[in-house]
Amino acid sequence: GSPYIILTCPGGTPFTQEKARELAAKEHLVIICGHYEGFDERVREGLVDEALSIGDFVLTGGELPAMVVIDAVARLIPGVLAEGSVDEESFNDGLLEYPQYTRPPEYRGMAVPEVLLSGDHGRIAKWRREQSIRRTFALRPDLLSKAELSREEKELIMRLESCREEE
């Protein structure tokens, strides 16, 4: 089929993980990058299927936004990354990802949380989900309105909000 043509520019639709998933399903993408003063308006009006922006700032050209789009989209194409490796990342379920830890179990007096060393996969999964919610609440509360949350998770957010109000 014909390619899906994207224009990178500050006035485009905000590029999100959801948009990356949508683009990863397309067979052929072409990205047009303006430079300095941009491009002829007729390009936007008559040639492109969609204009995308990677944020509310201006760069000297669209090459870096194009690279961001390419990287975010390519990693979602089956076979680019190991099977299942994108399943628990930030934005996958509307939340930021839980904190990651590696070896050694203690570094500069900071320990890996005990639950992660327990081997109890159920407790670990529950801890990770709660940490994702706490991190999202602290750093990107705007995402919580779109996240699919259980009643228990909504109660956690209400407790976090009441703690914030008491401070």
Side-chain angles (χ1 to χ4, degrees), residues 98-99 126-136:
Y98 50 81
K126 186 175 181 183
W127 180 88
R128 285 177 169 169
R129 178 71 179 182
E130 182 177 322
Q131 293 303 308
S132 287
I133 292 168
R134 288 177 177 276
R135 179 172 276 187
T136 305

Side-chain angles (χ1 to χ4, degrees), residues 12-68:
T13 303
F15 183 63
T16 62
Q17 188 66 25
E18 184 178 335
K19 177 56 69 178
R21 279 192 288 274
E22 186 183 307
L23 294 175
K26 298 200 180 292
E27 187 175 329
H28 184 186
L29 299 175
V30 170
I31 302 176
I32 299 174
C33 308
H35 202 76
Y36 294 116
E37 289 302 318
F39 45 86
D40 189 301
E41 187 60 24
R42 293 168 291 189
V43 170
R44 180 199 295 258
E45 291 174 3
L47 186 60
V48 304
D49 295 300
E50 182 169 17
L52 293 176
S53 170
I54 63 163
D56 295 341
F57 48 87
V58 178
L59 300 168
T60 56
E63 298 84 0
L64 291 173
M67 288 174 30
V68 167

Side-chain angles (χ1 to χ4, degrees), residues 33-114:
C33 308
H35 202 76
Y36 294 116
E37 289 302 318
F39 45 86
D40 189 301
E41 187 60 24
R42 293 168 291 189
V43 170
R44 180 199 295 258
E45 291 174 3
L47 186 60
V48 304
D49 295 300
E50 182 169 17
L52 293 176
S53 170
I54 63 163
D56 295 341
F57 48 87
V58 178
L59 300 168
T60 56
E63 298 84 0
L64 291 173
M67 288 174 30
V68 167
V69 170
I70 291 166
D71 190 76
V73 170
R75 60 192 315 284
L76 297 173
I77 296 170
V80 171
L81 296 180
E83 185 85 25
S85 64
V86 299
D87 294 343
E88 293 187 0
E89 295 180 323
S90 290
F91 308 112
N92 201 47
D93 58 2
L95 300 171
L96 297 179
E97 188 177 20
Y98 50 81
Q100 298 288 332
Y101 294 91
T102 61
R103 290 185 171 84
E106 187 176 318
Y107 176 73
R108 294 187 175 185
M110 297 176 285
V112 170
E114 175 276 326

